Amino acid sequence: MPRLLQKLPVHIALVIISILWTLPSVGLLIGSLRSREALLASGWWTVFQHPFDFTQYSLENYVTVLTAEGMGQAFLNSLTLTIPATVIPIAIATFAAYALAWMKFPGRQLLFITVVALLVVPLQMTFIPILRAYRDLGLAGTFLAVWLAHTGYGMPLGIYLLRNYIGALPRDLIEAAAVDGASHLRIFTRLIVPLSMPAIASFAVFQFLWVWNDLLVALVYLGGTPDVAPVTLRLTNLVGSRGQDWHLLTAGAFVSMVVPLGVFFALQRYFVRGLLAGSVKG
């Protein structure tokens, strides 16, 4: 009992933090179920005055968003952009992380420091030179342009995370496989990848969420063409140039959250293991 009382303040603090953290999402959800006139007339918190009055809720915003012209194509475009832009950097970063962690070659540490240094470079500085290069190569306005861009932007973080995780794997296990005659490729595919799955899944979640929710990179390299516009760009156009239909943005936000939530829950157990990896030894 005394031990429970000692932990009570911590539990109360966690509950308060959780409520404050989820409060904006609750407000967004309630706002998505109200009409434009209701949103302009009063704040979302006023629904708690009569919480069981279901006449103040409506699915009209969701119907408008889901039936908007080109929304289905926008979802397909987002998947077409996000899946390769997640898989490609994961594959390259995992190979690079293994090489930097377990293969000895001149300049290995300098190369790793250079990769880490790229984390502080603002990606906005690369837009103009890369876009000019894309135009010269004929890649501007194509999915390939966004795949390559997100691969480059995601590689430094991926290599940094995976290298630290792979480098912490038991040395005896790697050396035993090498003594048995296993090549680097065999060690990588049979040992490194299965053992590093929590870290790989963690990076996959971060990369997928970043690419799926991205607007700026897609707008710059795709140019806003309707045929290749992702969900974020389509929702921006749906709201209007002056934001006059911003009430639709609340419903659009929850519609666009469906796919990322599915990915997160599918990789949840690996994601949690990846976050906790290395926090406890023994």
Side-chain angles (χ1 to χ4, degrees), residues 42-92:
S42 60
W44 61 268
W45 54 87
T46 57
V47 301
F48 293 111
Q49 296 176 356
H50 305 283
F52 299 105
D53 182 11
F54 296 105
T55 58
Q56 60 184 329
Y57 305 114
S58 172
L59 296 176
E60 181 181 355
N61 293 337
Y62 287 95
V63 173
T64 303
V65 170
L66 293 175
T67 58
E69 182 181 358
M71 187 57 67
Q73 182 64 38
F75 269 96
L76 293 178
N77 292 340
S78 288
L79 289 174
T80 304
L81 287 172
T82 305
I83 294 176
T86 302
V87 174
I88 295 174
I90 287 176
I92 299 176

Side-chain angles (χ1 to χ4, degrees), residues 31-40 56 58 60-61 247:
S32 68
L33 296 173
R34 305 180 73 202
S35 64
R36 178 183 180 182
E37 292 74 17
L39 287 174
L40 295 176
Q56 60 184 329
S58 172
E60 181 181 355
N61 293 337
H247 60 286

Side-chain angles (χ1 to χ4, degrees), residues 23-34 44 57 62 250-251 254:
L23 196 60
S25 298
V26 173
L28 192 67
L29 176 61
I30 295 175
S32 68
L33 296 173
R34 305 180 73 202
W44 61 268
Y57 305 114
Y62 287 95
T250 56
F254 276 92

